[in-house]
Structures are given as C-alpha cells and as structure tokens.
Amino acid sequence: GENVEQHPSTLSVQEGDSAVIKCTYSDSASNYFPWYKQELGKRPQLIIDIRSNVGEKKDQRIAVTLNKTAKHFSLHITETQPEDSAVYFCAASKGAGNQFYFGTGTSLTVIP
Amino acid sequence: SQTIHQWPATLVQPVGSPLSLECTVEGTSNPNLYWYRQAAGRGLQLLFYSVGIGQISSEVPQNLSASRPQDRQFILSSKKLLLSDSGFYLCAWSGSSQPQHFGDGTRLSIL
C-alpha cells in the first residue's frame, strides 16, 4: 500500500518568514495530493491541493509543488502570520473511490 | 452545497459501555465515507471507509465496527468500549472529484 512520510514534525518560524513542509509517497499510482490545516481542537480543513498533471499550484501565500519523478510534494507558506500556527497534514490518493493516506503531521508555530 | 454533520460533539462513556457515533452527509449522492481516530497530538488513523451502502472496509482490527445503512449515513459502533478507545473521532466524505472533507468531530473520553 501507499506510505506517506512528512517532515519536519515540528517547525518554528518568525513572523514574516517562509515555512516549508515536505512529504514523500511510495505509490507512483497516487495522483491527488491535498494539504490540510488543523487548528487545536478543530477538524482538518483543506487549504490547497494538487493533481499529478500539474507541477505547481499557488493560492495567495500558499503554494504546493509536486515532483512525480522523485515522488515528493511540498507545502510553501510565505509571509507567515501567527494565525498560520496549526498542524498541517499532507495526503496522497489514487483517485475516486480510493482511500487517502495521510502524513503524520507538522506542528507549525509562527512566533510574533 | 454539501455539508457533513457529526454528533455528538463530546461524549463521556464508562469502560465497557456501548458506543454509537453518527455521521450524515447532505447535498451529494453516493459519497465515499470515512471514519478516522486521532489521539491527542497525533495523526489521523483511518478506521473504516465505505464506497457504497453496505460496503465497509476495515483498516485496523479493533473492537469497533461501522455500518452504512443509507447512502449518506455512516455509523461507528462498539459493543464494549476500552480505555484505549478515547480520542477525537472524525467522519469525512469525498466525491468522485475529490477532495475529502471532515466533520467537526466527536471528542470521546472513556472513564
């Protein structure tokens, strides 16, 4: 089955700096890669996703890059703000009807 | 638009008691449905997923079970709760075009 690894497990950055979280996957058939943000005590919420036919996607301060050859994808947050502090999860899926495989999460702290 | 409802929000149960958590989805048909458990400060553990009525796949052997009696209803049950069943239970759904969306979760404490 698929194995998704996520690094780092914790990350602290100064407000205004950039944060990068990396994930690798093992199954080359995976073709959909969402990222979720989970604030303390709340549900994970989708913040950005990318499909295997695209190498990069950007939404304001958030971007995701995908390297299919190396089987890794990354989340980039620029100009970080304190409200970006949360746990971030990456995931991989092989498409409709298939389960999602989640990384173990990265706890991001943005220091004001 | 699609919405997912999960209840109760919090639950305190004694060891050995039964459990029933319910999840319903509105605004879509034939969704893929999932149950996850999250221990404090930990990741998401997939418990069950379903691609249709009566079709349940179990990912982790345990004293929990799931059922899908209707297209948009997913139920997580246990006959006898263990202390280790404590956690944050999340229901999620996805459609054919993805992605996966989570309910607000149930915080379960076993005493």
Side-chain angles (χ1 to χ4, degrees):
Chain A
E2 173 70 280
N3 182 42
V4 177
E5 295 189 356
Q6 183 172 348
H7 300 281
S9 57
T10 60
L11 179 61
S12 291
V13 299
Q14 292 289 334
E15 183 177 357
D17 287 350
S18 295
V20 180
I21 303 170
K22 299 181 179 181
C23 287
T24 61
Y25 61 99
S26 60
D27 191 341
S28 56
S30 291
N31 57 19
Y32 176 66
F33 308 91
W35 285 89
Y36 291 84
K37 176 184 179 181
Q38 186 178 28
E39 297 178 351
L40 190 62
K42 298 191 176 181
R43 61 179 170 176
Q45 292 196 297
L46 178 74
I47 54 171
I48 196 167
D49 56 5
I50 192 167
R51 300 184 189 276
S52 58
N53 59 346
V54 176
E56 184 175 359
K57 184 176 179 181
K58 192 173 181 180
D59 182 5
Q60 299 182 336
R61 297 187 296 109
I62 295 174
V64 57
T65 58
L66 171 65
N67 184 326
K68 287 191 296 183
T69 303
K71 294 204 280 287
H72 68 71
F73 56 112
S74 300
L75 177 71
H76 305 254
I77 306 174
T78 58
E79 300 172 27
T80 54
Q81 301 168 2
E83 50 265 40
D84 294 329
S85 296
V87 177
Y88 291 81
F89 291 97
C90 64
S93 172
K94 286 189 280 190
N98 287 280
Q99 61 177 290
F100 286 64
Y101 295 87
F102 284 85
T104 50
T106 296
S107 178
L108 173 65
T109 301
V110 179
I111 304 166
Chain B
S1 63
Q2 303 90 355
T3 56
I4 179 169
H5 302 280
Q6 190 179 343
W7 66 93
T10 59
L11 189 60
V12 180
Q13 293 284 96
V15 171
S17 63
L19 173 74
S20 180
L21 302 181
E22 190 164 342
C23 173
T24 58
V25 180
E26 296 178 356
T28 187
S29 59
N30 196 31
N32 302 314
L33 297 171
Y34 309 81
W35 277 112
Y36 292 88
R37 178 169 61 199
Q38 189 175 34
R42 305 294 295 273
L44 298 162
Q45 179 189 29
L46 179 64
L47 301 176
F48 301 95
Y49 73 99
S50 171
V51 298
I53 295 175
Q55 302 177 58
I56 310 292
S57 296
S58 174
E59 291 301 305
V60 183
Q62 59 221 330
N63 67 320
L64 299 172
S65 62
S67 62
R68 185 170 177 172
Q70 300 180 41
D71 181 45
R72 291 169 289 174
Q73 184 185 30
F74 206 23
I75 298 172
L76 182 69
S77 304
S78 174
K79 292 181 179 178
K80 273 188 173 183
L81 285 168
L82 306 173
L83 280 173
S84 57
D85 290 325
S86 292
F88 190 41
Y89 287 81
L90 289 157
C91 180
W93 77 274
S94 69
S96 58
S97 60
Q98 301 171 340
Q100 195 170 106
H101 299 280
F102 290 86
D104 287 331
T106 294
R107 194 160 302 282
L108 175 64
S109 299
I110 310 299
L111 302 179

